[in-house]
Amino acid sequence: MELRVLQYFVAVAKEQNISSAAKSLHLSQPTLSRQLKDLENELGKQLMIRGSRNITLTEEGLLLRKRAEEILDLVGRTEKEITRSDETVSGDIYIGTGETDGVRQIAKTAKQLQSKYPNIHLHIVSGDALDVCERLDNGLFDFGILLGDMDKLKYHYLTLPTKDTWGVLMRRDSPLAQKESIVPEDLWDKPLILSRQSENKSGLYRWLQKEPSRLHTVATYNLIYNASLMVDEGMGYAFTLDKLINTTESNLCFRPLKPQLTLEMNLVWKKSQVFSKAAELFLQALKDSLFSLSERRESTANEKR
């Protein structure tokens, strides 16, 4: 399977039309059609259904498109890293993360690093833990930020000093909004809106003291902004982390859980990861920043004694 042919396939998938893709690739339509047919023969699978005007990808075609885009992206990044001048420190750092206030620490480190190396660029890509781990394993991310439990045998990791706190996002006119904190019994009969990965890592069901089948879950989400719209429309109560939704001057409010439920936060990378110079500098800068923060906290604690 050649990279050139993968580029052709991705172009057709995006255009959904062989004639349009052929024009953008500066190929004749028969040549492009033949290349795609040869690719299907090589793989032994039908990749697309050819309609009168548009093409539709089969299930195998959808999978190939996803993998082809990842392969082409990785090849492009590798070429950039190798061909950059040795005289100037530059490069791109890719970090996958869920929605968390812990990104502030990453942003602070990136700002300090860019003040010294302005040609280093940070790319934050949002996704839940499933998305982050998949792209991290495929070499598309340099680092990932994972919340809660993680496979510490699979990844190297750096524990960040902050923890995320779970709570409930609700309308201000809801009955539970009068409470300062929320206990499990408050939610046993309420319509719930849950993160799609709640069952995996968060300990949320353990906190609720109920099996998922015995709860009234009306919706799931992977981006809290979408969940906030559902809450605003009165669909239910959304479990989320603190500081993600600005509830000032809105119809919504946030209430913490009692007993408190928190998530540890780790910056992770593959044990076989080969870092670019930019990624190496970022990791060292983050370690230095966390060490300085720890020293300041220890000094403050000693002064109070």
Side-chain angles (χ1 to χ4, degrees):
M1 192 186 309
E2 299 179 28
L3 288 176
R4 170 179 51 82
V5 179
L6 289 181
Q7 291 173 331
Y8 295 168
F9 175 76
V10 169
V12 172
K14 288 179 178 178
E15 295 286 347
Q16 297 183 337
N17 183 280
I18 292 180
S19 296
S20 299
K23 290 180 181 178
S24 68
L25 294 167
H26 305 291
L27 295 172
S28 68
Q29 184 174 336
T31 298
L32 181 56
S33 295
R34 186 175 64 253
Q35 294 280 359
L36 295 175
K37 190 62 179 176
D38 289 345
L39 178 61
E40 289 181 319
N41 290 337
E42 179 183 351
L43 296 175
K45 296 287 184 179
Q46 182 179 3
L47 301 173
M48 53 187 68
I49 300 170
R50 294 157 177 81
S52 58
R53 293 189 176 181
N54 295 327
I55 64 99
T56 304
L57 296 183
T58 64
E59 185 175 343
E60 290 80 6
L62 290 170
L63 176 60
L64 179 61
R65 176 181 179 174
K66 179 181 180 182
R67 297 304 183 209
E69 288 176 337
E70 291 175 350
I71 290 168
L72 294 173
D73 184 27
L74 188 57
V75 169
R77 285 183 55 195
T78 303
E79 288 177 343
K80 285 182 181 179
E81 290 172 1
I82 291 175
T83 57
R84 280 193 177 105
S85 170
D86 293 333
E87 297 177 1
T88 303
V89 177
S90 61
D92 299 284
I93 303 167
Y94 290 82
I95 301 178
T97 177
E99 297 173 292
T100 167
D101 189 62
V103 174
R104 288 183 182 275
Q105 182 65 55
I106 302 301
K108 289 177 181 178
T109 300
K111 182 180 178 181
Q112 294 170 358
L113 189 63
Q114 287 176 333
S115 66
K116 187 174 181 181
Y117 305 106
N119 291 319
I120 288 179
H121 302 101
L122 183 71
H123 304 275
I124 297 289
V125 183
S126 297
D128 62 22
L130 298 174
D131 300 324
V132 171
C133 288
E134 180 180 4
R135 301 192 73 178
L136 191 66
D137 293 343
N138 290 336
L140 299 173
F141 290 155
D142 298 299
F143 305 99
I145 296 178
L146 299 181
L147 306 178
D149 298 335
M150 51 160 281
D151 189 347
K152 295 183 177 180
L153 295 177
K154 184 176 182 181
Y155 300 112
H156 289 301
Y157 64 95
L158 185 64
T159 300
L160 301 179
T162 56
K163 290 187 177 182
D164 273 334
T165 302
W166 278 104
V168 181
L169 188 69
M170 64 189 77
R171 288 173 57 106
R172 291 186 184 276
D173 59 2
S174 65
L176 297 183
Q178 306 306 314
K179 304 190 65 171
E180 293 185 0
S181 57
I182 304 301
V183 298
E185 298 91 322
D186 292 332
L187 299 167
W188 286 350
D189 61 345
K190 299 294 189 297
L192 304 180
I193 301 170
L194 303 176
S195 165
R196 76 169 185 173
Q197 60 182 0
S198 295
E199 190 171 3
N200 297 332
K201 311 261 184 186
S202 65
L204 203 52
Y205 289 125
R206 291 194 299 272
W207 181 88
L208 281 164
Q209 302 170 20
K210 290 282 186 179
E211 293 296 321
S213 60
R214 299 181 62 189
L215 295 169
H216 182 31
T217 302
V218 296
T220 62
Y221 70 91
N222 68 334
L223 293 175
I224 186 55
Y225 176 73
N226 294 333
S228 73
L229 297 181
M230 290 189 277
V231 173
D232 196 32
E233 289 299 320
M235 283 184 62
Y237 296 79
F239 278 93
T240 184
L241 300 174
D242 196 7
K243 301 178 182 178
L244 296 185
I245 293 293
N246 185 357
T247 56
T248 306
E249 300 180 358
S250 80
N251 296 326
L252 307 181
C253 61
F254 177 90
R255 297 291 180 264
L257 304 182
K258 184 179 180 180
Q260 188 181 64
L261 181 62
T262 61
L263 287 178
E264 186 180 73
M265 195 179 312
N266 293 288
L267 182 83
V268 305
W269 59 96
K270 288 197 306 182
K271 289 193 172 182
S272 59
Q273 182 75 23
V274 178
F275 284 134
S276 64
K277 184 63 175 178
E280 284 182 0
L281 288 169
F282 171 81
L283 181 58
Q284 189 57 54
L286 181 60
K287 289 179 178 179
D288 292 343
S289 176
L290 296 182
F291 180 75
S292 297
L293 179 61
S294 176
E295 282 195 324
R296 289 197 300 271
R297 287 180 175 177
E298 185 176 346
S299 176
T300 301
N302 290 334
E303 289 175 359
K304 290 182 179 179
R305 290 191 185 122

